[in-house]
Amino acid sequence: MKKRLTLGVAIGSAALLALAGCGSSKSSTSTTTLAFFGADYGTGPANSTTKYWDAIASAFHQANPGITVKVQTVDWTDFPNKVQTLVQNKQFPDVLEGDTAPQFAQSHLLYPASDVLSPGVLGNLIPTFLKDGQYQGTDYGIPFTTSTRALYYNKKIFAAAGISSPPQTWAQLQSDAAAIKAKGYIGYGMPLGSEEAQAEALLWFLGNGGGYVNSSGAYTINSAQNVQTLRFMSKLASAGDTQPSPGTTDRKDVWAQFAQGKIGMVLGSPAVIPIIQAAGVLKTSDYATANVPGKNAPLASTLGVHDDIVAFNTGKHAAAIRKFLDFVYQDKYQLQFDNEYDLLPATQSAAATMEKNLMFAAFLKNIPNSVNYPSKTNWTTVENQIKTTLGQAISSNPQKILNSIQHTAASGG
Amino acid sequence: MPDVAAVRETAGDQRPGAASPGRPQRGGRARRTRRRLAPLAWLGPATALIAVVVLWPIVALVQTSLQRITPIGVTIGAAGTKNFRSLFGDPNLPGILVRTVTWVVAVVGITMLISIGLAQLFNQRFPGRRVTRWALIAPWAASVMMTALIFRWMLQPDNGAINIFLHQLGIVHQFNSNQSSWLGRPDSAMAWMIGVAVFVSLPFTTYTLLAGLQTIPGELFEAATIDGASKWRSYLSITLPLLRPALVVAVIINLINVFNSFPIIWEMTRGGPGYETNTTTVFMYNLKESYIGEAAAMSVVNFSLIIVIVLCYLRVSNWNRQEAR
Amino acid sequence: MTARTAARRRGTTPRRLPTIKTAVIAATAYIIALVFLLPYAEMIITALRPQRELLERNYLPHHFAWSNLTNMWGGGFGITTSLRVSLEVAGGATVLVLLVSLPAAYYTARHRFRGRNLFLLIVLVTQMLQPTALIVGIYKEFLSFHLIDTVWALIMVNAGFNLAFAIWILNAYVGSIPVELEEAAMVDGSSRLSTLWRVTLPLAMPGVVTALIFTFIAAWNEFIAALTLTTSNNVTPLTVRLDMFIGQYTVDWQHLFGASVVATIPVLILFALIERRVVGGLTAGSIK
């Protein structure tokens, strides 16, 4: 009896101690959970971006046990829809990677960048991309990964067609493409399908001194220069110098065909390189990059794109987000991401390190004077219309289509 | 697919034990209460599941169509009828409506015609019938999205298998020409997509008609042959009328599925170029990218159209009911 | 007058003529079956193309990369997990549909009650809708139930959207079973529930099997609700997993097509097992 009593007391007190221990550890630190929602840059479950973020999240948690980051990624095609569903249901993440800031900032949903980044990290960001994520003069969008475009050309096809150097003007591009077509290849790959028509179009518009906005920032989509540019592109297509039906061809298909050695020239970002390597058809010496041709001279400023991180103020986790983002923007993580997906970094220090890699150097040097998409709040709407309808300008009236897009752009504001 | 009118007429009051005199009548009031609550127990779970999963989201959809929502999803206020007015004022809409009608009529019509023939064929006895019937299932078992993707793959201008075949036949003269870009031209794209839609609709339709054929007693045909009727005549006057209920069912199911069809057009052309190969269902998805409220309005319009189809169906099957007698 | 009738009149039955007709029919059927299988054969062939031969202009590649089919089973791809999830969702939805629709169908077939037509009409209307339009509302709902990112959410959504067809088929089947059989059993002393189990259900089995296969296929291939309602890797079904092969810059065609062939196999097996039952099932449902 006594033994049982002693045993009972022992067990009881052990239990009490255990409970007390649990209780005390719980009350000493409060755990914050951050919800992270990002885009998937991979091409399959094997190189999904979830792995990248999961690794950062667990390393961060080890360094900061009081903060847990829950990671969720969605592939790019479904990304806008998923974000829309979340926002409509007021299920805001704390950190969102992959979208642009102005619209969220307009709805007062975001922390300014200075609230969620240490000054050192903020100052390390590449200025031209940071400026692009401003709304009413305050930084909201924090560039995470960037990219610029150049002209890729197939040196083997060029040799077969008797072309000695890459084209610098539109006229040269036209004659080169015709020569390549005569040899049985596709001259120039022009993707104006709904995947990314706005990028291809802008690179052409810039070549003629046009663009989406003028120097004071007002929309000038239906300018005379842009119409002229589209007429030229249409001529190229109808002469057969491009792949058939540019208005419905996507960038993915054109890049894949270039990687398989079927196309002579294509505009692309560094991401084309791993596609070429995976295809195994072209050797490194078989292709090269050059500046994007313009009407009378190569482009002085090419298209620069960036995917931003924005921090939502709905969860009121500013301090935790700041710790997390400072952690994320370390050089090693920037470089890891950019090497994995062949994109460019958003921080100056990482860019400096990457310049040592010859393949990226050509793209990196174009960053400082690159042109970005307009950072207006209705740009998403305008962009969607460009993606859907611009391809038609190849086969029908460009003025009418550009007028319609300009109308949407001007009325939104 | 049972038709509502038929069930209404033939079911009657078939409660087992309702009219048998031998059953002892248990306590009146308790029995009446139990009887009144009985439907709840039997129908409750089904009603609850439908109400939760389907009916409530419909309410949410109608609400959304009356609101102003930014492209990222933030609701900024009520819109009244503005979404509907913008929708009906959209210059692309008339063309899309016409195309939707063409799409539905063409796909359903062609599917029905071919299915009647296929059902007749597969109703015959021949060696290997089981295996060929099983092959017929493939488009039904595979997801429509993947079937659409493989057709898009086969139609590539440079190296698609269909283009290779047509080139060998001499129909396609040159690869990478406009001619070989079947999905790049709106008219040929629509034709091919109609073909794919027929392809994925044939299995279900054929099996429905096959089932119908197999219930027709063979004696009817023997009697007709003895009377001197030709094969064609007995087909028209015996087979088709008895097949009518199955035909009506197949038509209605196909009408609804084809009207709501999304993956084929989305995967093959995204509705492009522009909106030139869009139907109303795909257009709704297009709108959703920038104009959420208007997309919801389009869904409401689609929903109303479907209900109209439902009402037509009920009327047709009722009329049909008298004929079959 | 067919050759056979003429031959019979003559008093002799030539053995070869019926075979020619059968042969022609069989040949036609084989060709049609081949046409139906061709796109899926192309899928497999493309899945086996090595990367450098992906865009070559030929029917068959020079080399077959069998590794494309075997290496997708690795942990990184998650195909096996998704296969399991898809089986759970499709199987669960099918079971739920049968559990819920059987009582409802039985009751509407056997009783005439107020609201019966309204019930059947509402059921009919839900058959006409697809998740694509309603997805935001569905997300909101399951959010409030705290069921986001669970297999249960998918089971419920798929069951809800396929309930109508099941109720109809079973309604017709139970309606076609003579009520006298049930009455006889009940007079012999069995309860209503056990009558349902031992008498009605076996006779209604073709209808049950039909509802089963339709729901299974629909739930197996469902995409948009699965995409919206799931986030973590261990609850993504096959349809969503396959979508991951479509990346931002490239499409992994080989794995996409290879995995989708794998995704079709369970359905084909199920179908092969119950094909005969399906034909029987559709009969009673449509001919009334």
Side-chain angles (χ1 to χ4, degrees):
Chain A
M1 186 92 171
K2 239 192 187 165
K3 256 197 194 154
R4 234 185 260 159
L5 191 56
T6 324
L7 193 58
V9 168
I11 294 176
S13 34
L16 276 175
L17 278 172
L19 276 174
C22 283
S24 63
S25 70
K26 265 205 182 125
S27 57
S28 63
T29 54
S30 53
T31 43
T32 320
T33 312
L34 291 181
F36 174 88
F37 190 89
D40 195 330
Y41 294 78
T43 47
N47 67 341
S48 162
T49 316
T50 319
K51 295 193 172 134
Y52 170 81
W53 290 111
D54 278 340
I56 294 186
S58 58
F60 177 71
H61 183 67
Q62 282 192 333
N64 299 276
I67 312 178
T68 318
V69 179
K70 276 180 60 180
V71 170
Q72 184 187 340
T73 64
V74 169
D75 64 292
W76 273 108
T77 6
D78 305 306
F79 183 79
N81 259 319
K82 203 83 191 266
V83 173
Q84 234 184 41
T85 310
L86 287 178
V87 172
Q88 267 190 282
N89 284 291
K90 299 202 177 35
Q91 287 297 106
F92 304 107
D94 289 297
V95 180
L96 176 70
E97 186 278 322
D99 220 319
T100 54
Q103 283 199 64
F104 292 104
Q106 189 186 37
S107 298
H108 310 292
L109 289 169
L110 302 181
Y111 282 122
S114 48
D115 281 3
V116 288
L117 285 178
S118 307
V121 179
L122 187 56
N124 191 19
L125 293 171
I126 298 178
T128 152
F129 295 125
L130 178 64
K131 187 156 170 295
D132 210 42
Q134 283 184 352
Y135 174 71
Q136 295 186 340
T138 317
D139 294 326
Y140 285 99
I142 307 165
F144 173 71
T145 184
T146 68
S147 146
T148 60
R149 303 295 161 99
L151 178 76
Y152 281 82
Y153 63 100
N154 186 323
K155 296 203 310 210
K156 266 172 71 175
I157 295 181
F158 267 41
I163 308 169
S164 52
S165 59
Q168 296 190 315
T169 67
W170 286 1
Q172 288 175 352
L173 186 135
Q174 188 173 25
S175 60
D176 287 351
I180 294 172
K181 172 178 151 226
K183 289 290 171 192
Y185 300 96
I186 298 172
Y188 174 79
M190 187 189 286
L192 288 174
S194 54
E195 183 191 348
E196 217 200 28
Q198 80 276 21
E200 181 78 13
L202 183 59
L203 285 164
W204 283 90
F205 288 160
L206 288 173
N208 195 14
Y212 292 133
V213 290
N214 60 17
S215 46
S216 34
Y219 279 115
T220 53
I221 297 176
N222 60 347
S223 62
Q225 297 122 307
N226 289 349
V227 176
Q228 200 186 34
T229 309
L230 283 176
R231 294 226 165 90
F232 179 77
M233 291 164 78
S234 179
K235 229 170 42 153
L236 267 185
S238 49
D241 296 333
T242 66
Q243 87 283 3
S245 312
T248 52
T249 315
D250 282 343
R251 182 187 62 182
K252 285 196 195 82
D253 297 321
V254 154
W255 282 9
Q257 284 184 302
F258 181 84
Q260 300 270 347
K262 297 182 180 254
I263 300 185
M265 297 175 277
V266 86
L267 295 175
S269 76
V272 179
I273 297 173
I275 302 175
I276 296 176
Q277 289 168 338
V281 172
L282 298 178
K283 299 195 290 287
T284 319
S285 54
D286 290 335
Y287 67 95
T289 57
N291 276 338
V292 179
K295 183 155 182 236
N296 302 312
L299 285 189
S301 28
T302 180
L303 169 66
V305 294
H306 54 105
D307 293 329
D308 287 358
I309 283 185
V310 294
F312 283 82
N313 59 16
T314 45
K316 302 203 188 333
H317 288 139
I321 296 178
R322 177 191 273 235
K323 286 209 182 96
F324 179 60
L325 290 183
D326 284 346
F327 191 85
V328 165
Y329 275 95
Q330 296 174 65
D331 272 3
K332 65 174 178 186
Y333 290 127
Q334 280 281 293
L335 291 170
Q336 182 192 341
F337 187 88
D338 298 322
N339 279 319
E340 166 107 36
Y341 300 109
D342 287 90
L343 291 166
L344 302 179
T347 59
Q348 298 172 43
S349 49
T353 315
M354 257 192 135
E355 249 160 36
K356 306 192 180 103
N357 183 331
L358 282 177
M359 270 199 303
F360 291 109
F363 293 95
L364 280 165
K365 75 172 185 344
N366 282 328
I367 287 185
N369 52 353
S370 60
V371 172
N372 297 320
Y373 294 128
S375 55
K376 299 169 111 51
T377 48
N378 70 343
W379 170 242
T380 320
T381 309
V382 175
E383 192 185 52
N384 283 333
Q385 190 172 353
I386 295 176
K387 284 184 191 173
T388 315
T389 59
L390 196 82
Q392 289 178 293
I394 291 299
S395 41
S396 64
N397 186 347
Q399 183 75 60
K400 200 162 141 243
I401 292 172
L402 289 183
N403 283 346
S404 168
I405 301 173
Q406 174 72 18
H407 178 75
T408 310
S411 57
Chain B
M1 182 69 63
D3 93 342
V4 179
V7 177
R8 227 184 290 150
E9 290 185 47
T10 58
D13 195 10
Q14 294 185 342
R15 259 169 301 135
S20 22
R23 289 230 118 163
Q25 298 282 326
R26 271 176 265 165
R29 196 174 197 190
R31 183 144 186 220
R32 256 181 284 129
T33 322
R34 206 180 321 144
R35 209 195 286 184
R36 217 175 281 143
L37 291 177
L40 213 62
W42 295 92
L43 305 177
T47 318
L49 191 56
I50 291 179
V52 164
V53 175
V54 183
L55 292 180
W56 195 92
I58 295 178
V59 171
L61 176 72
V62 175
Q63 276 181 330
T64 311
S65 72
L66 298 171
Q67 289 174 322
R68 276 173 58 211
I69 306 182
T70 68
I72 52 168
V74 178
T75 313
I76 43 184
T81 55
K82 181 164 178 295
N83 288 324
F84 288 92
R85 278 182 281 126
S86 311
L87 179 67
F88 288 116
D90 194 317
N92 296 303
L93 192 65
I96 292 175
L97 281 173
V98 167
R99 203 167 309 111
T100 309
V101 171
T102 316
W103 164 259
V104 172
V105 167
V107 175
V108 178
I110 299 175
T111 305
M112 292 312 298
L113 279 175
I114 300 181
S115 285
I116 292 176
L118 280 183
Q120 201 65 37
L121 177 68
F122 282 93
N123 201 22
Q124 314 293 320
R125 269 182 209 285
F126 56 86
R129 180 170 77 161
R130 185 108 190 271
V131 175
T132 50
R133 275 204 205 165
W134 186 79
L136 198 60
I137 293 308
W140 193 6
S143 83
V144 181
M145 190 198 299
M146 293 312 303
T147 309
L149 276 177
I150 193 64
F151 270 95
R152 190 176 109 197
W153 178 261
M154 294 196 290
L155 284 168
Q156 285 180 104
D158 185 50
N159 62 309
I162 292 179
N163 271 321
I164 298 177
F165 182 64
L166 292 177
H167 182 73
Q168 286 176 337
L169 287 182
I171 297 176
V172 167
H173 302 297
Q174 198 195 352
F175 290 100
N176 281 323
S177 63
N178 259 335
Q179 185 199 24
S180 69
S181 168
W182 299 99
L183 295 179
R185 292 171 282 130
D187 291 331
S188 60
M190 273 320 282
W192 276 103
M193 293 195 293
I194 288 175
V196 175
V198 169
F199 183 71
V200 299
S201 306
L202 281 175
F204 166 76
T205 317
T206 307
Y207 263 77
T208 308
L209 299 180
L210 196 54
L213 280 179
Q214 294 190 333
T215 55
I216 299 175
E219 302 88 50
L220 284 177
F221 290 108
E222 288 184 18
T225 320
I226 291 173
D227 283 349
S230 75
K231 266 226 188 98
W232 186 240
R233 184 81 198 285
S234 57
Y235 186 76
L236 282 179
S237 32
I238 300 178
T239 319
L240 276 186
L242 285 176
L243 208 48
R244 190 177 237 132
L247 284 168
V248 169
V249 166
V251 165
I252 285 299
I253 296 299
N254 274 318
L255 277 176
I256 292 149
N257 282 342
V258 173
F259 184 85
N260 279 334
S261 172
F262 178 76
I264 296 176
I265 299 178
W266 189 253
E267 295 300 340
M268 289 179 85
T269 62
R270 286 275 193 281
Y275 299 103
E276 292 180 51
T277 54
N278 253 340
T279 60
T280 50
T281 309
V282 181
F283 187 56
M284 184 272 288
Y285 208 78
N286 265 331
L287 282 175
K288 204 158 168 292
E289 286 167 0
S290 305
Y291 307 105
I292 301 181
E294 214 177 301
M298 181 84 255
S299 294
V300 171
V301 169
N302 274 339
F303 181 39
S304 319
L305 281 172
I306 291 169
I307 295 196
V308 166
I309 297 177
V310 167
L311 291 177
C312 287
Y313 163 67
L314 284 180
R315 172 151 314 166
V316 165
S317 68
N318 263 335
W319 164 77
N320 183 53
R321 190 90 305 271
Q322 267 103 43
E323 254 242 32
R325 289 219 167 193
Chain C
M1 181 181 303
T2 62
R4 206 208 295 189
T5 328
R8 214 178 277 147
R9 291 239 178 110
R10 254 184 277 126
T12 60
T13 312
R15 247 170 265 147
R16 280 166 78 226
L17 285 171
T19 319
I20 289 183
K21 180 177 172 210
T22 316
V24 167
I25 289 177
T28 320
Y30 295 155
I31 294 175
I32 291 176
L34 196 68
V35 168
F36 270 79
L37 290 177
L38 270 179
Y40 305 101
E42 170 73 11
M43 226 190 248
I44 299 178
I45 293 172
T46 311
L48 293 173
R49 281 184 184 267
Q51 193 63 26
R52 57 184 302 143
E53 296 191 43
L54 188 62
L55 295 184
E56 277 196 1
R57 210 177 277 165
N58 46 28
Y59 288 125
L60 295 173
H62 302 294
H63 306 97
F64 284 89
W66 296 101
S67 58
N68 286 343
L69 287 181
T70 52
N71 65 11
M72 82 167 114
W73 296 101
F77 285 89
I79 300 287
T80 29
T81 318
S82 291
L83 207 56
R84 179 182 53 83
V85 173
S86 280
L87 278 171
E88 282 175 16
V89 170
T94 310
V95 166
L96 183 57
V97 162
L98 290 176
L99 278 179
V100 167
S101 61
L102 261 171
Y106 179 76
Y107 196 79
T108 51
R110 292 274 181 250
H111 296 72
R112 178 170 275 168
F113 57 91
R114 217 175 337 146
R116 179 169 174 273
N117 293 335
L118 182 65
F119 175 74
L120 285 169
L121 190 66
I122 291 178
V123 162
L124 181 58
V125 163
T126 65
Q127 178 79 43
M128 314 293 175
L129 288 161
Q130 285 183 332
T132 320
L134 304 175
I135 197 61
V136 176
I138 292 177
Y139 184 87
K140 192 180 226 164
E141 258 192 310
F142 282 91
L143 189 62
S144 55
F145 299 151
H146 299 288
L147 281 178
I148 293 293
D149 212 26
T150 61
V151 173
W152 272 109
L154 294 180
I155 290 178
M156 283 180 69
V157 170
N158 280 302
F161 276 94
N162 292 298
L163 198 56
F165 183 73
I167 290 181
W168 277 21
I169 275 285
L170 292 169
N171 195 2
Y173 257 90
V174 172
S176 70
I177 296 172
V179 71
E180 293 79 36
L181 287 172
E182 292 177 9
E183 283 184 349
M186 291 182 72
V187 161
D188 283 348
S190 87
S191 73
R192 185 190 293 208
L193 211 57
S194 100
T195 312
L196 177 61
W197 182 253
R198 282 189 290 113
V199 176
T200 321
L201 205 53
L203 289 172
M205 195 47 79
V208 173
V209 166
T210 309
L212 190 153
I213 189 69
F214 276 29
T215 309
F216 192 88
I217 293 184
W220 185 264
N221 286 331
E222 201 284 322
F223 174 67
I224 193 73
L227 177 74
T228 311
L229 294 173
T230 61
T231 56
S232 6
N233 264 333
N234 57 345
V235 286
T236 43
L238 271 176
T239 43
V240 177
R241 182 77 63 178
L242 259 50
D243 200 56
M244 286 188 188
F245 288 119
I246 301 174
Q248 192 188 12
Y249 304 114
T250 59
V251 181
D252 190 352
W253 293 106
Q254 291 97 325
H255 285 122
L256 180 66
F257 286 141
S260 63
V261 168
V262 165
T264 316
I265 291 176
V267 178
L268 288 174
I269 294 176
L270 184 64
F271 215 100
L273 289 175
I274 64 175
E275 175 238 343
R276 205 153 273 169
R277 282 275 174 81
V278 175
V279 171
L282 285 167
T283 307
S286 54
I287 311 298
K288 251 294 169 247

